[in-house]
C-alpha cells in the first residue's frame, strides 16, 4: 500500500516547518518527514533567530515559543593574541515588542514549531530518513524512505533537508559542494547560572548579548567566532571555511579550545561546565552557489538551497522566508492544477523579489574575494589591533612618530598599491 | 597554514556530552583503503570535528559512532574516498540544546 499526500516536505527544520505551516493553514494536506527523533535534534545553529520572518507566519509567537534571551546588544571584536578592538551596538528598544532577535535552542524551538504545525493539520513523521526521490519521466512524484513499504507519493516534494542535501544533488540540481562553499563550525554550550551570565555580559534577566569575533579567534583563517548568551548557557563556537581548515594543521576542536583559553574570552565562560558539543556545515557559497531551485514536482529551500547570508550571520530567517514563499508558490500552482517546473517557478521569482535573493546578490562576491585573498584576515585585521596598541600605549614617543610607525608597519609586507587594491575590491563587493 | 602552540584536547570528553543512538550499520564507509594508503596528507584525520578517522595498522579506522553528521569529510576528502550517508531515521546524534 502506498501513501499519498498533496505535499511532502523532507526535513523538519525551520525551512520545512515554515513551508508546512503555511500550506496546512491554507488547507493543504502536508506530510513532513524528519530523520531525527524530533524536529530540532539534528539542527545546529549559533542561536540567533530573527523575529520578523517568524512573525510573518505566527503573529506574537514570542508569547508562547521557547526562547532563551532577547538580544539587546551586538558586539564586534577584532581579536589579536592578547588584545581586542571592540565595537558594539546596544538598543533598549529591542527589549520591548516587537523585538529584533532572540537566542533560541533549536531542539526546543523546532519542537514547538513542529507542534504548531501538527495543530494546523500537518502530519509529521519523525525517525524517517528519505533515501531518494521517486521519479517518473522527468517529474518527482514522491520519495522513498527507509521504513518498510516506505514510499510516499505527492503532487509536490519540497527538499528542506539542509546543507547536506543529497537529494538535490542526486537530482542534479547542483554538484557536490566544494570545500570553499561551506564553513565548518564547531560549538559548545557552556552551562552557567543565569545571574553569572547577566553580570558578565551586563544584561538583565531576559535580555542577552551576542559577540562576533574576527581575527585571532580563527587563527586568522577566514571565518568568525561567536559567543551568545542563552538563559543558563553560553554558546561559544568558531567556524572557518572548510577549504582553509582542511589545509591547516589544527583540529576544529583545538581551534575552539584556543578560543576558550584566550585571556579575553576566558572570563566570560570561566567556571562553566560544557553541556553539549556540536559541529555543522554552514553553506557560505552565497549567491553564486544557489542551485537550481525547482524542477517538475519539486522545490528546494533553506540551507539545501545555500540560502545563508554569512556576512550578517543570517540563515534561519532566510530559511523561513524561502519556506513560506515556496508554500505560497505551491498554493498558486494548486489553483492552476499544474506542478511542473514552469508553474512552480513562481517560487524562485518571488524569492528574487525578497530580501533573501537581494541580500545574497549584494554580497555575491564578498566571500570569494576574502577567500582568494588571505590578506584581509592575516594582514588588515591584525593591523587594526597593532594600530590601536601603538596609538594608545603611552611610551614617550610622539603621536606623530606613532602615526608614522603605524603607517610603516601597515605597508610593511604589503605594498601601498596592493592595500589600495584590497580595500577597493572589498569595498566594491560590499557596497 | 601552520598553527603553533596547539593545546591538547580530549575529544572523547566532548563526544561523551552528547546523546547518540548508535546504529549497528555504519553510515560512513571508506571506499578503498588502498587510496588512503596513497594519501599522504590524510586531512580527514585533522579536520573531522569528531575524530572519526584514525590511521591504525596501515588502514583508516572509522569511528562512525561519534559522528556529528556535519558532512565535511564527504566534501573535503581529496579523493572522494568516503561513502557518506545519513544514519537511518532515529539513529545517530540527537542534540538536546543548540
Amino acid at each position: 500500500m502506498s501513501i499519498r499526500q498533496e505535499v511532502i516536505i523532507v526535513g523538519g527544520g525551520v525551512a520545512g516547518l515554515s513551508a508546512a505551516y503555511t500550506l496546512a493553514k491554507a488547507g493543504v494536506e502536508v506530510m513532513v518527514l524528519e530523520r531525527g527523533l524530533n524536529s530540532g535534534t539534528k539542527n545546529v545553529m549559533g542561536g540567533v533567530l530573527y523575529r520578523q520572518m517568524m512573525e510573518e507566519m505566527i503573529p506574537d509567537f514570542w508569547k508562547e515559543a521557547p526562547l532563551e534571551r532577547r538580544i539587546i546588544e551586538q558586539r564586534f571584536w577584532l581579536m589579536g593574541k592578547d588584545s581586542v578592538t571592540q565595537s558594539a551596538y546596544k538598543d533598549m528598544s529591542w527589549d520591548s515588542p516587537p523585538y529584533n532577535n532572540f537566542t533560541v535552542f533549536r531542539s526546543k524551538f523546532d519542537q514547538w514549531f513542529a507542534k504548531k504545525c501538527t495543530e494546523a493539520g500537518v502530519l509529521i513523521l519523525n525517525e524517517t530518513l528519505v533515501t531518494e526521490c521517486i521519479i517518473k519521466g522527468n517529474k518527482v512524484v514522491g520519495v522513498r524512505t527507509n521504513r518498510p513499504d516506505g514510499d510516499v507519493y505527492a503532487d509536490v516534494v519540497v527538499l528542506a533537508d539542509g546543507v547536506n542535501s543529497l537529494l538535490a544533488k542526486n537530482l542534479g540540481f547542483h554538484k557536490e559542494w566544494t570545500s570553499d562553499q561551506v564553513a565548518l563550525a564547531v560549538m559548545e554550550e557552556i552551562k552557567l547560572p543565569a545571574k553569572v551570565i547577566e553580570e558578565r555580559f551586563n544584561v538583565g534577566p531576559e535580555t542577552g548579548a551576542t559577540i562576533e569575533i574576527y581575527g585571532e579567534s580563527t587563527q586568522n583563517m577566514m571565518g568568525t567566532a561567536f559567543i551568545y548568551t542563552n538563559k543558563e548557557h553560553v554558546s561559544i563556537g568558531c567556524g572557518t571555511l572548510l577549504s582553509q581548515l582542511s589545509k591547516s594543521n589544527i583540529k576544529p576542536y583545538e581551534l575552539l579550545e584556543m578560543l576558550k583559553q584566550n585571556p579575553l574570552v576566558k572570563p566570560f565562560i570561566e567556571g562553566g561546565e560544557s553541556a553539549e558539543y556540536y559541529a555543522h556545515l554552514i553553506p557560505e557559497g552565497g549567491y553564486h552557489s544557489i542551485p537550481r531551485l525547482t524542477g517538475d514536482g519539486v522545490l528546494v529551500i533553506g540551507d539545501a538551497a545555500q540560502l545563508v547570508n554569512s556576512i550578517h550571520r543570517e540563515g534561519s530567517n532566510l530559511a523561513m522566508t524561502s519556506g513560506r514563499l515556496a508554500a505560497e508558490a505551491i498554493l498558486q500552482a494548486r489553483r492552476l492544477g499544474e506542478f511542473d517546473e514552469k508553474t512552480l517557478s513562481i517560487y524562485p521569482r518571488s524569492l528574487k523579489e525578497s530580501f533573501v535573493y537581494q541580500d545574497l546578490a549584494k554580497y555575491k562576491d564578498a566571500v570569494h574575494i576574502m577567500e582568494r585573498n588571505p590578506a584581509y584576515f592575516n594582514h588588515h585585521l591584525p593591523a587594526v589591533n597593532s594600530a590601536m596598541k601603538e596609538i594608545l600605549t603611552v611610551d614617550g614617543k610622539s603621536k606623530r612618530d606613532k602615526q608614522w610607525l603605524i603607517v610603516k608597519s601597515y605597508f610593511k609586507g604589503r605594498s601601498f598599491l596592493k592595500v589600495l587594491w584590497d580595500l577597493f575590491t572589498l569595498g566594491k563587493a560590499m557596497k | 597554514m601552520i598553527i603553533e602552540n596547539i593545546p591538547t584536547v580530549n575529544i572523547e570528553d566532548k563526544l561523551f556530552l552528547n546523546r547518540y543512538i548508535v546504529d549497528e550499520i555504519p553510515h560512513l564507509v571508506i571506499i578503498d583503503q588502498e587510496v588512503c594508503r596513497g594519501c599522504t596528507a590524510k586531512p580527514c584525520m585533522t579536520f573531522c570535528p569528531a575524530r572519526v578517522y584514525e590511521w591504525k595498522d596501515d588502514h583508516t579506522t572509522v569511528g562512525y559512532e561519534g559522528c556529528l553528521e556535519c558532512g565535511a569529510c564527504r566534501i573535503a576528502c581529496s579523493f572522494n574516498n568516503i561513502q557518506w550517508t545519513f544514519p537511518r531515521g532515529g539513529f545517530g546524534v540527537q542534540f538536546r540544546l543548540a
Side-chain angles (χ1 to χ4, degrees), chain A residues 78-132:
Chain A
L78 298 180
M79 197 165 92
K81 275 200 185 351
D82 53 1
S83 64
V84 62
T85 305
Q86 310 185 7
S87 65
Y89 179 72
K90 189 166 189 169
D91 192 331
M92 296 316 287
S93 77
W94 286 347
D95 188 20
S96 328
Y99 310 112
N100 183 38
N101 60 43
F102 310 92
T103 45
V104 299
F105 281 147
R106 285 291 301 275
S107 58
K108 293 181 183 168
F109 186 86
D110 289 24
Q111 257 190 71
W112 168 83
F113 196 5
K115 199 174 124 250
K116 295 299 284 184
C117 286
T118 310
E119 286 165 13
V122 178
L123 189 62
I124 300 183
L125 209 56
N126 290 321
E127 299 182 57
T128 309
L129 178 70
V130 172
T131 52
E132 61 181 312

Side-chain angles (χ1 to χ4, degrees), chain B residues 1-20:
Chain B
M1 183 172 187
I2 300 298
I3 293 154
E4 284 162 9
N5 302 323
I6 297 173
T8 36
V9 181
N10 187 351
I11 184 65
E12 277 76 32
D13 288 348
K14 283 191 194 295
L15 300 179
F16 189 70
L17 301 169
N18 297 344
R19 177 179 182 207
Y20 290 95

